Amino acid sequence: TVLAAVKLQHSWSQIFTGETITLRCEIQGGEGKVWKYEWTAPNTNSPPTSSEYRISRVSVSHSGDYRCRGSSDYLLTGWSDAFRLTVSSSKPRATLTAQSSVIPAGGSVTLSCSVEGSAGWKFDWFRRDSVSSKAQLMRGNEANRVISVSQGGLYHCRGGRGDPVYYTEDSAPVMIGEC
C-alpha cells in the first residue's frame, strides 16, 4: 500500500503569526517513483504541485486542515489524513529570570531565557549600563538558554527561530548589581 502523509518540517507544537513554515508531503511505500503532488488547503486557490508547501509570514487565516496525495504513472495514492495547522495570533514574549540580583565579589550570576509552550528557539542576549543607554548585543543565536554574567547592568533577551528568523518580543529587563 502506498500512503501519503503531511508532516511539518519543524517539531514545533505552536506556530505564531508571521513565522515561515514548510509542510511536506511524504509518500510511504512509493520509493523510486517520480511523483506529482496535489494539496488541499485553507485560504488558497493555487496550492503547490511540489512535495513541499512553504508558507511565508503565516497568519491565522492559514489555520485549518492540510491534505496531500501523489500520482505516478497509473498509481494514485489516497488523500492523506488531515494535518491540522493552528496559528496563534499573539506574538510570544521571552521571559528572563536571574539566579540573583547581585553579583558576588569575583563571582557571577546565572541568567536564563525561556519562551513558554514552544520549542526550537535560540537566544539573543542584550546588556546596557543604564536605562538611558543603548542595549548592546552580548551573545547571539545561542542554543543554550542559560548564560553566566560577571558584570552588572540591565539585561534582556529574546528568542528567534526559523529561516528567515522570527523573533519573540523582548523580555522585560532585569537589573543586576555588583557588590
Side-chain angles (χ1 to χ4, degrees):
T1 311
V2 182
L3 297 172
V6 177
K7 302 277 173 66
L8 183 65
Q9 181 182 3
H10 306 281
S11 55
W12 299 341
S13 56
Q14 217 172 344
I15 306 293
F16 299 97
T17 296
E19 290 197 87
T20 295
I21 63 162
T22 302
L23 298 169
R24 286 208 178 101
C25 185
E26 295 181 358
I27 295 177
Q28 293 133 13
E31 293 75 12
K33 291 190 176 298
V34 177
W35 293 96
K36 291 178 183 169
Y37 298 87
E38 284 180 83
W39 291 83
T40 62
N43 190 33
T44 182
N45 298 321
S46 54
T49 54
S50 62
S51 63
E52 289 195 343
Y53 194 147
R54 182 177 165 90
I55 307 171
S56 297
R57 293 183 298 280
V58 73
S59 68
V60 172
S61 66
H62 290 108
S63 294
D65 289 345
Y66 289 74
R67 292 180 175 84
C68 72
R69 70 179 178 182
S71 60
S72 177
D73 302 326
Y74 55 88
L75 194 60
L76 180 68
T77 73
W79 285 104
S80 67
D81 288 343
F83 177 90
R84 175 146 297 175
L85 181 69
T86 304
V87 181
S88 172
S89 60
S90 60
K91 192 169 190 177
R93 179 180 289 279
T95 303
L96 175 58
T97 51
Q99 163 201 22
S100 162
S101 59
V102 178
I103 296 168
S108 63
V109 164
T110 300
L111 305 179
S112 65
C113 190
S114 60
V115 181
E116 190 181 339
S118 202
W121 302 101
K122 292 188 175 178
F123 299 97
D124 295 337
W125 296 88
F126 300 87
R127 179 189 171 275
R128 49 188 163 149
D129 292 319
S130 65
V131 174
S132 58
S133 62
K134 195 173 186 303
Q136 302 290 328
L137 178 67
M138 295 166 34
R139 316 255 289 263
N141 208 29
E142 292 270 312
N144 194 339
R145 64 185 199 88
V146 176
I147 64 167
S148 290
V149 297
S150 52
Q151 188 181 13
L154 207 57
Y155 290 89
H156 74 270
C157 67
R158 70 180 178 190
R161 70 181 184 185
D163 178 22
V165 180
Y166 172 88
Y167 291 108
T168 67
E169 300 280 8
D170 290 354
S171 71
V174 171
M175 176 63 87
I176 305 292
E178 293 180 33
C179 280

